[in-house]
């Protein structure tokens, strides 16, 4: 059993910053890539940022230069969001590609954390 728990979602004004965190726990042998996705009402879930076990990062064009993804330790990932815009409002989901202890490699998802940006 593997669990991902996000935290940090909040209501903020446009232009402000917010930091999301995600902690993995359970039968984790190792974690390959960790990512943040988001889903706005009525829209498909989209990839926001990814960081590999080696530290390589990738960002959606819409957040480049404003968001920073980091691995705080092997099982924790954060998303520092700056210069937030109303269009950043969404539920943000953490995802991890987990090598399960004595098991396969599986992509897991957290339950999501709400980010609301007021104009």
């Amino acid at each position: 059993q593997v669990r991902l728990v996000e935290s940090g979602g909040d209501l903020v004004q446009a232009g402000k910053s917010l930091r999301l965190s995600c902690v993995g726990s359970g039968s984790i042998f190792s974690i390959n890539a960790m990512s943040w996705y988001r889903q706005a009402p009525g829209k498909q879930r989209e990839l926001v940022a990814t960081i590999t076990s080696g530290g390589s990062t990738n960002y959606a064009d819409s957040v480049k230069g404003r968001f920073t993804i980091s691995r705080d330790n092997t099982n924790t990932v954060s998303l520092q969001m700056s210069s937030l815009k109303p269009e950043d409002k969404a539920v943000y989901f953490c995802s991890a590609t987990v090598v399960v202890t004595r098991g396969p490699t599986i992509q897991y998802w957290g339950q999501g954390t709400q980010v609301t940006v007021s104009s």
Side-chain angles (χ1 to χ4, degrees):
Q1 185 78 7
V2 173
R3 189 180 181 204
L4 298 177
V5 179
E6 303 100 333
S7 62
D10 205 347
L11 167 63
V12 295
Q13 289 184 327
K16 300 296 185 182
S17 299
L18 200 61
R19 185 177 181 88
L20 306 181
S21 294
C22 171
V23 180
S25 62
S27 301
I28 298 172
F29 177 74
S30 66
I31 296 180
N32 296 336
M34 298 189 81
S35 302
W36 287 97
Y37 288 74
R38 67 185 180 186
Q39 187 166 18
K43 294 188 177 182
Q44 289 188 329
R45 189 172 298 188
E46 63 173 351
L47 177 63
V48 175
T50 297
I51 185 167
T52 68
S53 57
S56 297
T57 59
N58 189 48
Y59 297 91
D61 288 342
S62 59
V63 306
K64 281 181 181 177
R66 299 189 299 121
F67 291 10
T68 301
I69 190 170
S70 61
R71 291 280 288 267
D72 303 322
N73 57 51
T74 56
N75 291 358
T76 302
V77 64
S78 295
L79 185 69
Q80 179 67 44
M81 304 185 292
S82 302
S83 302
L84 282 162
K85 304 176 181 180
E87 52 262 43
D88 293 319
K89 174 184 175 180
V91 178
Y92 284 71
F93 297 90
C94 173
S95 177
T97 304
V98 176
V99 180
V100 178
T101 302
R102 294 185 294 277
T105 299
I106 301 173
Q107 184 176 16
Y108 286 91
W109 294 87
Q111 293 298 308
T113 186
Q114 177 71 51
V115 173
T116 302
V117 184
S118 63
S119 57

